[in-house]
Amino acid sequence: MSHSEFAKIYTEFLPGVWRALRHLGVQEKDLEDQTQEVFIVALRKLPTFEGRSSLRTWVYGICLRVAAAYRRSPARSREIVGESYAERHTSETPETALELRESARLLAHSLSTLTHEQREVFVLYEIEELSMSEIVTILGCPAQTAYSRLHAARKTVQQMLHSTTMTTVASRRSSS
Amino acid sequence: MSEQDPLRLSDDPTSSPLLKQALSDAKSAQPTAEALARITAKLLAAQAAGASGEGGVSNSPSAQSTPPPNASAAFWAKAPWLFLALPSLILVAVLVHQSLTQPPQAPVANRAVVPPVQAVAHNHQPQSPDRPPQLPQSQSSSHELDAGILPSNHVPSVDPRCTSSAEAQRIRSIQRHVAEQRWAEVLQATQVLCPRSPYAEERERAIILAQYRQGQIANARSGLERFARQHPGSAYLAPLMREILAPSP
C-alpha cells in the first residue's frame, strides 16, 4: 500500500462514495458512518488489490457491498425518501431551492421503488457516470443482465416522474 | 462511456426537463464541509481508539454501524502512516469545499451575551496556518482534564449561573495564555471555567490547542472530533483543523 494510492482513493472518491451511498438508500443519519466504513474497508483491502480492475470500479464495488450490508442491517429503519435532499441548496433563492428539493425528492422516491439490482445499475450509470463495462465488472454479471436492469430502472423512473408531474399539474388546475 | 453505452438520460434530448434537473442535482450533490470534518474526525478517532486499545470509536447515535474497534486497531496498526497522511488529505478537501460553498459564519453563539469577551476573541489572531506546529514535547500521559467534563455526546447548553463576570475574566485569562502560548496555564485555567458557560466554544478550542502543543496528540484529535460535532459552524473549526490535523514537519 502506498501513500499515493491512498491519496488517490481518498481525494478522488470521497464525494462519489458519499453520493452513491446516499442514492443507494443509506439514510442521512447513517451516511457518515457508512462512508467511513467504505474507506476503512478499502484501506484494509488495498494491499490485496491486484489491479485487475481500475481503482474506481474497485472502490464502487466496496461501496455497493457496504450499502447492501447496510440494507440487511437490522438496526436500519425504513428508508425515509428524500429526507436528506434539502441542505445543499441554502444559497439558492427560496423558489429555486424549492424546485431543486422537489426534483431531488421525486428522484429519491423513484429510486426507492426500484429493485436493489436495478437501483445499483441506475445510480452507477446515470448518476456516477460509470461506463456499462465498469458496471459489469463491479457486479460480475453478464452485460445483457446489466443492460436489462438499466432499461427497467429507466422505465420505472421515467414513469414515476411523469405520473407525478401529471398529478401535480392536475392538482394545480383543479385548485385554480 | 464506451461506444456501446446508451445515451445517458441527462444527455438524452427526449428526457423530460424534470428528470434532467433531478439527475443534474443528484450528480452535483456533495457532503458539506461539516460532514467531511466529521468523517475525518471519525477516522482519526478510530485510529486513536485502536492505538490506545480503547473501544468506542464514536458516541454518535449511529455508532452501531462503525466497524468493531479491534478491526480498526488491526487495520491502523498495519498502516500507521495513514494516520499522518489522512489528515492532510482530508484537510485539503474540507478547506477547498468550505471556501467554495460556505459563507462566512459568526465565530460563536451567544455573542450578545458577552460582548467584551467576544471582542477579545475576535481581536485575537488565530494560529497561523502557515506556521508549522511545534514539535510535541512528549507523547505521554492520558489527559485527565477532559474526562468527565466534556462528555462526547453531550452538547453543553448555556447555564445562566455560568455567565458571571468571573467567567468572563477567566476566558480572557485563557485567551491571553493562548496568545502567549503558555499551554500549561491554559490547561490549568480551563479547569476552573464552567463547561456550560457561554464560553464553552473558546474553552474547548483552548484545550484542544493546549493539548496539541503539549504533545497530547490523541487527546487533541479526539477533542477536535467532539468540537466538530458540537460546533460544526464554528469559525474556529477550520483553523483548528489546520493546526491539529496538519502533518508534522
Side-chain angles (χ1 to χ4, degrees), chain A residues 33 88 125 129-130 154, chain B residues 6-8 21 25 27 62:
Chain A
D33 282 344
R88 201 179 64 82
Y125 188 74
E129 298 194 336
L130 272 66
R154 283 176 155 189
Chain B
L7 201 58
R8 290 198 167 85
Q21 166 99 60
D25 189 35
K27 287 176 189 178
S62 52

Side-chain angles (χ1 to χ4, degrees), chain A residues 113-128:
Chain A
T113 64
L114 302 177
T115 67
H116 299 314
E117 292 78 12
Q118 291 170 357
R119 187 171 187 164
E120 288 174 347
V121 177
F122 187 89
V123 168
L124 293 180
Y125 188 74
E126 299 290 357
I127 297 175
E128 294 309 309

Side-chain angles (χ1 to χ4, degrees), chain B residues 10 35 112 134 152 211 223 246:
Chain B
S10 53
Q134 292 177 351
S152 58
Q211 287 174 332

Side-chain angles (χ1 to χ4, degrees), chain B residues 10-248:
Chain B
S10 53
D11 301 325
D12 189 342
T14 63
S15 296
S16 73
L18 180 64
L19 178 57
K20 286 185 176 180
Q21 166 99 60
L23 287 170
S24 168
D25 189 35
K27 287 176 189 178
S28 61
Q30 56 181 317
T32 63
E34 290 79 15
L36 280 173
R38 284 191 296 269
I39 293 167
T40 306
K42 284 179 180 180
L43 284 166
L44 290 171
Q47 192 278 340
S52 65
E54 295 169 3
V57 166
S58 167
N59 288 326
S60 67
S62 52
Q64 308 93 302
S65 58
T66 55
N70 289 341
S72 292
F75 161 68
W76 288 109
K78 287 177 185 173
W81 59 266
L82 285 175
F83 186 53
L84 298 175
L86 185 62
S88 56
L89 291 166
I90 298 168
L91 176 64
V92 170
V94 169
L95 292 179
V96 167
H97 183 285
Q98 210 165 29
S99 66
L100 291 175
T101 60
Q102 295 292 312
Q105 297 187 32
V108 289
N110 308 314
R111 183 178 297 163
V113 181
V114 287
V117 177
Q118 291 306 323
V120 173
H122 295 162
N123 290 334
H124 170 63
Q125 292 295 317
Q127 301 292 331
S128 166
D130 301 326
R131 189 184 62 199
Q134 292 177 351
L135 286 175
Q137 292 163 3
S138 76
Q139 291 289 345
S140 64
S141 81
S142 64
H143 193 248
E144 65 280 0
L145 185 63
D146 240 356
I149 297 177
L150 292 173
S152 58
N153 56 355
H154 172 66
V155 180
S157 57
V158 174
D159 186 334
R161 292 170 300 181
C162 299
T163 58
S164 68
S165 60
E167 290 288 300
Q169 280 186 340
R170 289 186 186 114
I171 192 65
R172 269 197 288 270
S173 170
I174 290 170
Q175 287 168 341
R176 194 165 54 247
H177 291 327
V178 169
E180 295 167 358
Q181 302 198 18
R182 289 153 55 190
W183 305 115
E185 285 89 339
V186 169
L187 290 178
Q188 196 172 13
T190 52
Q191 282 183 304
V192 294
L193 184 68
C194 176
R196 290 166 61 82
S197 82
Y199 317 118
E201 194 174 338
E202 286 91 339
R203 174 185 180 275
E204 290 163 40
R205 166 185 174 261
I207 291 174
I208 292 166
L209 276 175
Q211 287 174 332
Y212 180 69
R213 292 308 185 91
Q214 290 214 315
Q216 299 169 14
I217 308 297
N219 285 327
R221 286 179 171 159
S222 62
L224 181 58
E225 186 224 345
R226 277 197 303 275
F227 191 90
R229 199 164 53 235
Q230 294 175 354
H231 309 286
S234 171
Y236 290 137
L237 187 56
L240 271 177
M241 291 182 71
R242 278 193 290 269
E243 184 81 9
I244 307 300
L245 301 183
S248 298

Side-chain angles (χ1 to χ4, degrees), chain A residues 2 7 11 15 17 27 37 43 45 50 61 76 78 96 102 110 113 122 144 159 162 175:
Chain A
S2 73
T11 56
V17 164
Q27 293 177 36
E37 174 74 5
L43 293 165
K45 300 278 188 186
E50 296 175 342
R76 182 186 81 99
R78 190 170 174 274
T96 310
E102 181 63 10
S110 305
T113 64
F122 187 89
Q144 194 53 46
Q159 282 175 347
H162 181 71
S175 64

